[in-house]
Amino acid sequence: MQKIFGGKSTTNKKALLLGAGFVVKPTLTLLSEKGVDVTVACRTLGSAEKICKDVKGAKPIALDVEDEEALDAEVAKVDVVISLIPYTFHPLVIKSAIRKKIDVVTTSYISPAMVELEKDIDEAGITVMNEIGLDPGIDHLYAIKTIDEVHKAGGKIKSFLSYCGGLPAPEASANPLGYKFSWSARGMLLALGNTAKFYQDGKTKEVPGPDLMSVSKPYTTGYTGFAFVAYPNRDSTPFREKYQIPEASTIIRGTLRYAGFPEFIRCIVDMGFLSQDPHDYLKPSSKALSWKEATAKILNATSSSEQDITWAISSKHTFADTDEKNRVIAGLRWIGLFSSDDITPRSTPLDTLCATLEKKMAYEEGERDLVFLQHKFEIEHKDGKHETRTSTLCEYGDPKGYSAMAKLVGIPCGVAVMQVLAGKLPKGLLAPYTPEICDPLRQELKEKYGIDMVEQTVA
């Protein structure tokens, strides 16, 4: 990687923005306000037109990124490509950018498939900037800040914890999961099946996905108005090297949810509702069952009465006590799993459940979301003294504007795009893991957009 930071004019620049998700609009608007002409490409023209409405300099087109010739034609017209489509498609976009020698920005983690393209990226002399949203993104900027400060002062990072939650604001959290869906319910539930790997007290630990909720525990943030639980997520072990903290005996990155979430999810898992196995009775072509009939079949209950279904649940799942059982059963009742309402059949228990969750647990008009991100560092200073330091971001969405999640993913992405266009980032396959990359991004996000993490010494 060349550590060369130049500078060039960003006037009359053009960008190709791929995607139709909720984070696209903040990125698009930022670029438009900076005078960049943006072509927004989606699979359907209607989706692109909706995003471009009332945005100066925005042009909607229909584009299938799997059509290599069509993708190359559009990439060749611009100075940078922003890929906000599912991460599995990024390699296709990067290959096109390599052929046309055009820079790329994504908010996704660098995947093995992207690493395989690193040599070609270097030979093409382009910048492919990744991991610049919220998590990953803002989390990196402030982790690197504190780690760099401590190391320069001769200290050590003995422990690093980082937890993030995208949640409904407390006043909008009145449902059994304390959660609402601004994106795919399927994506959130499937993420619960990923094995977590991390360092704890010098040992490498792994937790299989089905056991994740069993290791969740209350998490004290210092903000006593929130009752969070935390659990590890994905593989945290590479961050010992990425963050350059070989001295850390504990490194855990994970997820925050409201209290009560793990108990409910554990029951849903034991009931078999996260199964992706297709069933004839759940096929869209089949006669629609009522929810109580479908639930009884999934559980192999003796009948579809609530009493028999509850007995079947108790035979598969162990509740901590009667209060927990009553609360979880009430939650299942609220979702409608004991009701005479028709299911929306989608072949598998998981997808059929998701169809109902997305209806019952969507954000209502006027409701806010909440993003809470916190790093916790255990620091050993040069003089042997110990300190516990936190960096915290607590952001609420604007019901009349962007959600907190859309803002905190889309704005950092837009700022990174402008830095790429200005020639301020080095060439190569990049992520924000060095002060040279992180500092300018962090400073601009704080000074121009009010996005920052509050640092405190708590012990």
Side-chain angles (χ1 to χ4, degrees):
M1 179 194 301
Q2 291 183 334
K3 298 291 182 69
I4 298 172
F5 296 77
K8 53 188 177 183
S9 171
T10 58
T11 57
N12 302 317
K13 294 295 184 179
K14 296 180 180 180
L16 175 63
L17 198 165
L18 305 171
F22 67 98
V23 304
V24 169
K25 196 63 175 272
T27 303
L28 172 62
T29 302
L30 185 154
L31 297 177
S32 172
E33 290 173 350
K34 296 290 187 180
V36 178
D37 291 329
V38 184
T39 298
V40 177
C42 304
R43 279 187 178 272
T44 61
L45 183 60
S47 296
E49 288 175 335
K50 184 177 179 182
I51 292 166
C52 291
K53 186 179 180 182
D54 301 325
V55 179
K56 182 181 178 182
K59 173 189 172 185
I61 65 168
L63 179 65
D64 180 355
V65 297
E66 293 182 285
D67 183 336
E68 183 178 299
E69 186 176 345
L71 178 59
D72 280 359
E74 295 302 327
V75 168
K77 298 175 184 177
V78 300
D79 302 290
V80 65
V81 181
I82 307 124
S83 188
L84 296 178
I85 52 181
Y87 77 94
T88 51
F89 292 106
H90 292 333
L92 293 177
V93 176
I94 295 169
K95 287 176 183 177
S96 178
I98 289 167
R99 289 190 291 269
K100 299 302 178 181
K101 292 182 168 50
I102 301 298
D103 297 328
V104 179
V105 176
T106 86
T107 58
S108 304
Y109 285 105
I110 294 176
S111 67
M114 293 160 77
V115 172
E116 288 179 5
L117 299 173
E118 187 165 12
K119 182 181 177 183
D120 294 334
I121 290 168
D122 291 340
E123 289 178 353
I126 63 173
T127 297
V128 180
M129 177 65 176
N130 306 279
E131 303 188 28
I132 188 57
L134 166 64
D135 175 7
I138 295 172
D139 58 344
H140 294 334
L141 304 184
Y142 282 84
I144 295 299
K145 176 181 183 292
T146 295
I147 290 166
D148 187 52
E149 290 172 350
V150 169
H151 283 170
K152 283 181 176 176
K156 298 178 181 179
I157 303 293
K158 304 302 290 182
S159 170
F160 173 75
L161 306 178
S162 179
Y163 291 102
C164 186
L167 297 157
E171 74 275 9
S173 65
N175 67 53
L177 283 172
Y179 194 84
K180 293 205 169 180
F181 296 101
S182 57
W183 62 303
S184 159
R186 190 177 202 272
M188 187 279 274
L189 292 174
L190 281 179
L192 298 173
N194 294 330
T195 295
K197 186 177 179 182
F198 51 93
Y199 295 119
Q200 188 169 41
D201 298 328
K203 297 178 181 178
T204 303
K205 297 196 173 182
E206 286 195 34
V207 179
D211 298 334
L212 270 184
M213 295 301 100
S214 298
V215 301
S216 66
K217 54 187 177 183
Y219 187 72
T220 302
T221 63
Y223 291 69
T224 54
F226 294 111
F228 290 130
V229 292
Y231 55 90
N233 124 12
R234 303 195 190 189
D235 187 356
S236 299
T237 59
F239 288 89
R240 179 178 274 173
E241 180 180 349
K242 289 179 178 181
Y243 285 172
Q244 297 181 45
I245 45 175
E247 72 273 22
S249 59
T250 295
I251 301 175
I252 304 174
R253 300 171 84 246
T255 300
L256 293 175
R257 293 288 181 256
Y258 288 129
F261 179 91
E263 294 84 354
F264 198 85
I265 291 295
R266 277 204 302 268
C267 185
I268 289 287
V269 169
D270 288 348
M271 289 172 68
F273 270 105
L274 295 196
S275 169
Q276 298 181 68
D277 296 333
H279 295 284
D280 288 342
Y281 59 84
L282 296 178
K283 287 182 178 178
S285 58
S286 302
K287 179 181 179 295
L289 299 174
S290 67
W291 255 118
K292 63 183 180 182
E293 292 171 325
T295 302
K297 284 180 176 291
I298 291 168
L299 287 167
N300 291 318
T302 53
S303 82
S304 61
S305 72
E306 182 170 330
Q307 184 180 43
D308 283 345
I309 290 174
T310 302
W311 281 343
I313 292 169
S314 297
S315 72
K316 293 176 178 290
H317 178 74
T318 302
F319 296 97
D321 52 41
T322 302
D323 285 345
E324 181 184 298
K325 178 179 178 179
N326 291 339
R327 182 173 62 79
V328 172
I329 295 296
L332 299 174
R333 188 181 299 115
W334 180 88
I335 288 174
L337 300 192
F338 307 144
S339 74
S340 298
D341 297 341
D342 285 348
I343 64 171
T344 302
R346 290 187 178 172
S347 298
T348 71
L350 170 67
D351 292 304
T352 302
L353 176 64
C354 287
T356 291
L357 292 181
E358 286 167 1
K359 289 177 185 175
K360 298 211 67 165
M361 296 169 64
Y363 280 93
E364 302 288 340
E365 177 125 9
E367 290 185 335
R368 304 183 298 169
D369 69 327
L370 162 72
V371 165
F372 196 99
L373 166 64
Q374 186 177 80
H375 298 325
K376 187 175 289 184
F377 306 88
E378 297 294 339
I379 300 166
E380 182 182 295
H381 290 288
K382 186 178 180 180
D383 61 5
K385 291 182 179 178
H386 289 258
E387 175 192 357
T388 302
R389 188 185 305 177
T390 59
S391 296
T392 307
L393 171 62
C394 181
E395 178 94 17
Y396 288 93
D398 178 358
K400 296 180 181 179
Y402 300 135
S403 69
M405 184 63 74
K407 172 184 174 181
L408 296 175
V409 176
I411 297 297
C413 177
V415 168
V417 171
M418 292 307 301
Q419 292 205 358
V420 169
L421 287 173
K424 294 181 178 179
L425 292 178
K427 304 300 182 182
L429 182 64
L430 309 179
Y433 292 134
T434 64
E436 292 87 355
I437 292 176
C438 290
D439 290 352
L441 288 165
R442 190 185 67 253
Q443 289 163 8
E444 185 167 350
L445 286 169
K446 180 178 180 178
E447 293 167 7
K448 294 186 179 179
Y449 300 97
I451 296 173
D452 71 330
M453 296 181 73
V454 177
E455 297 175 326
Q456 290 181 303
T457 295
V458 297

